[in-house]
Amino acid sequence: MNRIAHNLTRLLNRALLSVDFPNTPGTTPTGRPVSPKVVYRACCHGEFGSARLNFLQLAEKSQILVLRSLDDHTARRLTRGLPESTLARLNRHMPAQAKSRQPQP
């Protein structure tokens, strides 16, 4: 019984070591940094799912810059599928002048 427990522990430890851990913010699965240009490009091509994934990997300051630079319609489409906690955090750190921007018709 002791040998079985030892082998199971050894196998589980190897399995845990082989699991990919989540990327650090600002990098892709290959380890390359994510650029805001990637988010802009995906939005321009209408690939909002890809844009959201890359947007979430950006640093917070870069996320705010991206949202401020997009027009209102595109920014709404980009943020439509994002978690509410992310939107609340970004709204809290958004500069006051960007919050008071009048909606464009």
Side-chain angles (χ1 to χ4, degrees), residues 3 5 15 17 20 28-29 34 48 50 52 55 61 63 71 73 78 92 99:
R3 193 171 53 177
L17 291 176
D20 289 336
T28 60
V34 176
F48 287 97
S50 174
R52 282 183 204 101
F55 180 80
K61 288 182 181 181
Q63 289 176 343
D71 63 288
H73 177 70
L78 175 65
R92 208 172 37 244
K99 287 182 187 178

Side-chain angles (χ1 to χ4, degrees), residues 36 58-68 89-90 93:
L58 290 174
E60 185 174 320
K61 288 182 181 181
S62 297
Q63 289 176 343
I64 291 170
L65 289 174
V66 167
L67 287 178
R68 289 181 65 194
R89 179 179 43 82
L90 290 174
H93 296 294

